[in-house]
């Protein structure tokens, strides 16, 4: 898995460019933080106890599909 990389998420109107960093967050050792270039979107995801990727923090509103999009770019 990557430590830092550029990523793009599909927005409701346009694509959202950002940077992803691997972080430790609230007890999650391998969380990933997406921050959009324009600082309007912030999303933190990590694997839950069952190994499923979930959103654990971030700005509202958000699209649930972003978790899957981001995971595809991480692995």
């Amino acid at each position: 898995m990557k430590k830092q990389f550029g990523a793009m998420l599909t927005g409701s109107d346009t694509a959202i460019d950002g940077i992803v960093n691997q972080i430790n967050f609230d007890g999650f050792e391998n969380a990933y933080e997406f921050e959009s270039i324009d600082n309007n979107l912030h999303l933190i995801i990590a694997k839950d106890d069952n190994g499923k990727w979930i959103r654990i923090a971030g700005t509202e509103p958000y699209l649930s599909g972003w978790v899957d999009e981001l995971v595809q770019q991480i692995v």
Side-chain angles (χ1 to χ4, degrees):
M1 293 189 197
K2 304 171 185 176
K3 297 271 185 193
Q4 183 182 50
F5 59 95
M8 182 179 66
L9 299 177
T10 304
S12 57
D13 295 329
T14 61
I16 302 167
D17 292 319
I19 301 294
V20 177
N21 287 294
Q22 185 177 14
I23 62 170
N24 292 330
F25 182 83
D26 199 26
F28 293 93
E29 292 182 18
N30 290 310
Y32 285 84
E33 177 180 46
F34 174 89
E35 289 190 72
S36 65
I37 300 298
D38 63 6
N39 291 319
N40 286 327
L41 176 63
H42 183 234
L43 176 66
I44 300 175
I45 66 170
K47 286 186 180 181
D48 66 11
D49 292 336
N50 298 318
K52 181 181 177 189
W53 287 96
I54 58 169
R55 175 185 179 269
I56 55 175
T59 52
E60 295 286 343
Y62 83 101
L63 299 176
S64 60
W66 285 341
V67 173
D68 293 333
E69 282 187 48
L70 192 50
V71 168
Q72 290 176 355
Q73 296 176 63
I74 290 170
V75 292

